[in-house]
Amino acid sequence: MPILHSPGSATTIPAALRRAAVSWPDDEALVGDGVRLTWPELAEQMTRMSKALLASGIQPGDRIALWAPNTAEWVITALGAYAAGAVLLPINTRFKGEEAGYVLRTAGARMLFTVTDFLDMDYVHLLRDQPGFDALEEIVVLSGPVPSGTVGWPAFLDRGAGSTEAAANAREATIAPEQTSDIIFTSGTTGTPKGVMLTHGASTRTYASWSAIVGLRHRDRYLIVYPFFHCAGLKSGILACILTGAVIIPSLTFDVRAVLGQVRAERITMLPGPPALFQTILNADLTGLDTTSLRLAVTGAAVVPVDLVRAMREKLGFESVVTGYGLTETTGTITMCRHDDDPEVIATTSGRPIPGMEIVLVDRAGQAVSTGTPGEVLARGFAVMRGYFDAPEATTAALTPDGWLRTGDVGVLDDAGNLRITDRIKDMFIVGGFNAYPAEIENMLLKHPAIAQAAVVGAPDERLGEVGFAFIVPRRAAALTSIEVMAWSRTVMANFKVPRYVELLDALPLNSSGKVAKPELRDRARAAVRTADTRKPGSEQCGTR
C-alpha cells in the first residue's frame, strides 16, 4: 500500500502530495495533454515513476536532469524523482547543446529525461557532440521519436515492475526536510551559471506561506505559464497547487490567444506571470475572448505600473492582483504584497517579508541605510539556499558569515516596511557621473498614453560614458515616433535620465521565464550606437542625441 498522510503540514514534497491525495480524493489535480488525474491518481503516478528509478539503480542524492517543456509528463517525472530521494535538475528549454551540456557535467547528472519534438528541437541531437555526453547513464525520451541509444518513457515506466511498492515507500520515508530537493541553475547573466541547492523543507514552508498570502485556494484552476524549470513554475506553480489543492494546468508556450483559449476552456481562476505577459494581453485584440473566470494574478520581477494593476482588474476581471520579490537563491520568494493591500502598494512595492524571512538594505560599505534611502537588499532566513553546488568560492561571495544573502538588487524601504526594488546593481548605468536606474526610467516612460511597454539599457557614449537607450512597444494602433518619445521624456524626467536613443519594436524580446531579455537588448543597443552616425536624424530605429 502507498504511504498515506493525514491532513496537516507536510515538510517534504512527496509528503505534500500524499497529504493532498488523502485530503481531496475526488478532486482534479493535473489537467493537460489529454490527461485528467485526481490527487490519488497523481500520487500513484509518482510512485510508479519512483519505482522505475529505483529499478534503474538511482540512489538518494543522485541528480536526475529534466529538459522538457511544461507537460503532464514533466510533473510526474519531477515528483517521481523527489520520491526516489533523488535531486531534480531542471534545464532551461531555451538552452542550446553547449549550455545544457555544461549544466549536466557540472551537476554530475546520472539520467536525463527530455524530448525530441519541442518547437522542432531535438534535445538529444543537440547534446550528441557535447563533452561528457557519454557520462550520462541513460536518456529517457518523454515525447517524440526515440533515437538509438535512448529509451521511451512508457518502456522506462514499465521497468518499475522490477521494484516493489514497499521499496518505493521505504525510500520515500527516508527523505528529510533538510535534504536537497533541487539544483536550479541561474541564468548566467552575471557570469557562468551556478547551481542553486534548495531543500524540501524550505520549499514546502515557503509555498505554504506564499499560497496563504496571495489567496490561492482549494479548487482554484491554475494555468502555469511560467516554465517548470524555473522556481516560478516549479515552486509557486506545481508545489503551491499540491499544497493547496489547486488544479495544475500546464501551458506549453505563451501565445495570447492560446492562453486565453485555455482560460475559457478550463475556467482558469489563477493566472500568474511577469508584467510583460499582462501588458501583451491587454495590448491584444480581446474581442470574443472570455476572461470572466479569472480571480487571482501574481506578478512582479519588473516594473509594475499602477495603471497595469487597474487594467488587470477592470479589463481582465481579476479580483486580486498581488506582487512579490525573490530569487532562485531564496527558493523564489522573499517578500510579498498581501491581496488586500492598496493598488498603489501592490504596483509600486514588492511588499513585506514572508514569515521567517528578514531583509536589510546596506550601502557599499555594508552599513544599514535609513528608510527611504537606496541600498543593496540582503536577505536572511529559512528560504535561503544551502549554497551553490560544488562552488564554495561563489557561495562564500554570496553569503555573509552570519547568513545574509547578497541579492545584487537595489531597493528602498518605506515607513510600512514595504520593499521597492529600484534596479539590479549590474543594470545601473552612469550618465556623466549620475546614477541612472533603468526600472525608474521605464516606470516614467510607461506613463505616456501611447506606450504599452518599455525597456531601458545603458549604451556607450564618448562624452558621458553611458546614456539611456529605450526600446518602446507602442499601444495597439497608436502613432508614435522616437523623436516624440525623447521630447516628451525631457518634460517629465531629469536630463540625465532622458533616453538619448529610442527604438520602436513590435514586441520586446523575452527570455524563457517571460522576463525582458536585457542582455539581448544591450547587444542590440551597442550595435545601434556603433552605426548611429550613419543614420538620418529622426530615424525610427534610433533617435538623435
Side-chain angles (χ1 to χ4, degrees), residues 441 444-446 448-456 469-474 479-493 497-505 540 543-544:
I441 300 170
M444 298 175 80
L445 288 169
L446 288 171
H448 191 293
I451 294 177
Q453 297 181 62
V456 175
F469 195 124
F471 294 89
I472 301 294
V473 177
L480 191 67
T481 69
S482 58
I483 295 295
E484 289 171 351
V485 172
M486 287 186 287
W488 178 85
S489 297
R490 292 189 187 99
T491 69
V492 297
M493 61 183 79
K497 299 177 186 177
V498 173
R500 268 50 168 195
Y501 300 89
V502 173
E503 183 175 337
L504 304 182
L505 302 176
E540 291 304 307
T544 56

Side-chain angles (χ1 to χ4, degrees), residues 181-536:
S181 56
D182 318 83
I183 298 175
I184 302 179
F185 273 72
T186 58
S187 62
T189 56
T190 57
T192 305
K194 299 180 288 294
V196 178
M197 296 187 290
L198 305 178
T199 67
H200 282 270
S203 297
T204 55
R205 182 177 171 185
T206 298
Y207 288 94
S209 287
W210 182 93
S211 299
I213 288 169
V214 305
L216 186 65
R217 302 193 298 233
H218 173 221
R219 289 183 177 169
D220 264 329
R221 303 184 68 81
Y222 191 145
L223 184 63
I224 306 178
V225 297
Y226 279 118
F228 288 163
F229 64 76
H230 189 278
C231 260
L234 177 56
K235 303 297 185 181
S236 68
I238 295 171
L239 180 55
C241 287
I242 292 171
L243 290 164
T244 60
V247 186
I248 303 166
I249 304 176
S251 178
L252 191 64
T253 58
F254 176 69
D255 171 81
V256 172
R257 296 198 73 84
V259 165
L260 292 179
Q262 283 182 285
V263 169
R264 183 193 68 251
E266 291 294 339
R267 303 302 296 165
I268 299 300
T269 61
M270 165 61 154
L271 179 63
L277 181 149
F278 297 107
Q279 289 167 329
T280 302
I281 290 175
L282 288 163
N283 205 36
D285 181 4
L286 300 178
T287 304
L289 296 174
D290 182 8
T291 63
T292 55
S293 64
L294 293 174
R295 184 183 70 80
L296 174 61
V298 178
T299 190
V303 176
V304 184
V306 177
D307 287 346
L308 175 62
V309 175
R310 293 196 178 110
M312 289 170 66
R313 289 176 170 173
E314 295 169 5
K315 296 181 180 180
L316 298 180
F318 287 104
E319 295 175 17
S320 181
V321 179
V322 183
T323 53
Y325 163 68
L327 293 77
T328 303
E329 287 88 341
T330 61
T331 319
T333 299
I334 301 173
T335 66
M336 292 297 300
C337 287
R338 277 47 175 179
H339 58 83
D340 56 352
D341 279 343
D342 182 270
E344 286 279 342
V345 173
I346 291 171
T348 60
T349 82
S350 298
R352 286 85 68 200
I354 64 172
M357 292 295 292
E358 56 182 325
I359 58 174
V360 65
L361 274 57
V362 301
D363 59 21
R364 292 183 181 275
Q367 299 300 308
V369 299
S370 59
T371 298
T373 302
E376 182 183 4
V377 181
L378 304 189
R380 184 169 66 178
F382 74 93
V384 172
M385 65 175 179
R386 294 184 62 184
Y388 295 114
F389 180 79
D390 199 25
E393 292 183 2
T395 299
T396 299
L399 295 172
T400 69
D402 51 351
W404 290 99
L405 172 74
R406 301 179 177 96
T407 68
D409 287 317
V410 178
V412 176
L413 285 173
D414 66 17
D415 291 334
N418 293 300
L419 174 66
R420 177 168 59 90
I421 297 296
T422 57
D423 238 306
R424 289 287 293 172
I425 288 176
K426 66 182 180 63
D427 286 345
M428 182 191 77
F429 56 94
I430 301 176
V431 182
F434 292 94
N435 292 348
Y437 295 96
E440 178 189 13
I441 300 170
E442 290 161 3
N443 209 8
M444 298 175 80
L445 288 169
L446 288 171
K447 294 178 181 178
H448 191 293
I451 294 177
Q453 297 181 62
V456 175
V457 297
D461 183 87
E462 289 184 4
R463 184 172 65 89
L464 297 173
E466 291 179 291
V467 293
F469 195 124
F471 294 89
I472 301 294
V473 177
R475 292 195 181 278
R476 190 163 52 90
L480 191 67
T481 69
S482 58
I483 295 295
E484 289 171 351
V485 172
M486 287 186 287
W488 178 85
S489 297
R490 292 189 187 99
T491 69
V492 297
M493 61 183 79
N495 184 57
F496 72 91
K497 299 177 186 177
V498 173
R500 268 50 168 195
Y501 300 89
V502 173
E503 183 175 337
L504 304 182
L505 302 176
D506 292 330
L508 295 175
L510 304 179
N511 63 24
S512 53
S513 302
K515 300 177 185 178
V516 175
K518 286 289 184 82
E520 181 178 333
L521 292 181
R522 289 190 193 96
D523 291 342
R524 187 165 181 159
R526 283 192 289 267
V529 169
R530 283 196 296 269
T531 58
D533 290 341
T534 66
R535 300 186 186 280
K536 295 179 181 179

Side-chain angles (χ1 to χ4, degrees), residues 1-2 18 43-58 76-77 79-85 111 113 155-172:
M1 292 290 292
R18 299 297 182 194
E44 289 173 6
Q45 290 297 316
M46 177 177 72
T47 299
R48 186 183 181 199
M49 180 69 195
S50 174
K51 287 171 61 180
L53 289 170
L54 265 62
S56 302
I58 292 300
I76 293 167
T77 300
L79 292 172
Y82 292 140
M111 298 181 69
F113 291 78
F156 173 79
L157 290 175
D158 289 343
R159 188 183 301 170
S163 181
T164 66
E165 196 162 279
N169 290 344
R171 174 68 64 82
E172 187 178 324

